[in-house]
Amino acid sequence: MVATSATSSFFPVPSPSLDPNGKGNKIGSTNFSGLNSAPNSGRMKVKPNAQAPPKINGKKVGLPGSVEIVKTDTEMSQPAPRTFINQLPDWSMLLAAITTIFLAAEKQWMMLDWKPRRSDMLMDPFGIGRIVQDGLVFRQNFSIRSYEIGADRSASIETVMNHLQETALNHVKTAGLLGDGFGSTPEMFKKNLIWVVTRMQVVVDKYPTWGDVVEVDTWVSQSGKNGMRRDWQVRDCNTGETLTRASSVWVMMNKLTRRLSKIPEEVRGEIEPYFVNSDPVIAEDGRKLTKLDDKTADYVRSGLTPRWSDLDVNQHVNNVKYIGWILESAPVGMMERQKLKSMTLEYRRECGRDSVLQSLTAVSGCDIGNLGTAGDVECQHLLRLEDGAEVVRGRTEWSCKTPTTWGTTP
């Protein structure tokens, strides 16, 4: 009965017939009313003295008074009585139907153009990265989007810096040290401490273009008694070529008092197991950064204000936004013909959403009037508040773009 119920949805089973008086005959019961029925009642005709017909020499021989069973047309047209066996479905038909469905699905799947055109597209396309090299290095892949490239069809420096920042945060998250959701460990969160960057040095050998997939590695090391150094290396996933190297120094600040803090022993115990004993990925540039003023600057851009979207969860301006503000005062002619190949920044103070800033740039190494045809160019930068307080000092180095990266339209 269980098999009958399970298969009735695929193969309908006829209902038991009812007698003319509205009483249903039970399945398996015997009805002898047909022995005296009318000739055309649809039941068997039985003759008295029924005996099995004998055979002589392989031929049947009829006997007088023998019983002859004759089926009428009405009986032959009726369905076979319901039994457990004949109520089972035709399994061959069910198997054929299932096979047809699977073959059709497989055909549709094979027709889909889901296969990647490059093998590197299979490398962590949607995850947040993974820990490699004995649990000390974090690795994450990024695909360069169309909105992350500039007029020269290559990724902007802001895009590169956003990738560095993202891998740093995901490193802390994957290591299980995320206390408040934005870089602080559990012990840092208890003590209202946050990380702030004091120095950043970046060297760009080559910028990726739209559709490229880059692989970013990052790791941390100790920097002095109360600092931490974080390094990055960016490679092309397809060729393995190094594209960018970056090194930074971070210290702790109390987010309530906005003052720098020593690293508590509880916090040190959380982060020291992840320190890598290695030299910086970039040799430190020990040259002093020049302080600019209105007299020494060649270009000044005033009235820069942060938008709400420029603030991070610690309620200060995102570090990447400072880079954009610094380049606001860079000469357009230089940016059209030159590409940024290295950058050194020193962060002096933070600014909030109500700050108004000025960006100052001084060009050295060439004549200002010939920036479009100059070779390597070096610039000094200063980002300051309106009252003169320094926010960021910087130095950038530029080299000529190849003719194929400018003068064309996307």
Side-chain angles (χ1 to χ4, degrees), residues 247-260:
S247 184
S248 60
V249 177
W250 300 72
V251 295
M252 288 189 179
M253 183 178 73
N254 188 299
K255 67 179 180 180
L256 300 180
T257 64
R258 314 311 284 186
R259 294 181 179 275
L260 298 182

Side-chain angles (χ1 to χ4, degrees), residues 180-232:
D180 66 341
F182 204 74
S184 296
T185 67
E187 287 297 330
M188 291 175 62
F189 180 68
K190 293 179 183 178
K191 301 178 184 300
N192 294 314
L193 297 175
I194 59 175
W195 289 110
V196 292
V197 60
T198 61
R199 184 178 177 89
M200 175 76 71
Q201 191 173 345
V202 183
V203 174
V204 181
D205 298 319
K206 182 181 179 181
Y207 288 91
T209 60
W210 177 31
D212 287 348
V213 179
V214 297
E215 180 183 78
V216 184
D217 285 359
T218 184
W219 59 95
V220 291
S221 305
Q222 185 170 347
S223 178
K225 293 183 179 181
N226 291 294
M228 180 184 72
R229 189 184 79 242
R230 178 173 288 277
D231 292 340
W232 294 269

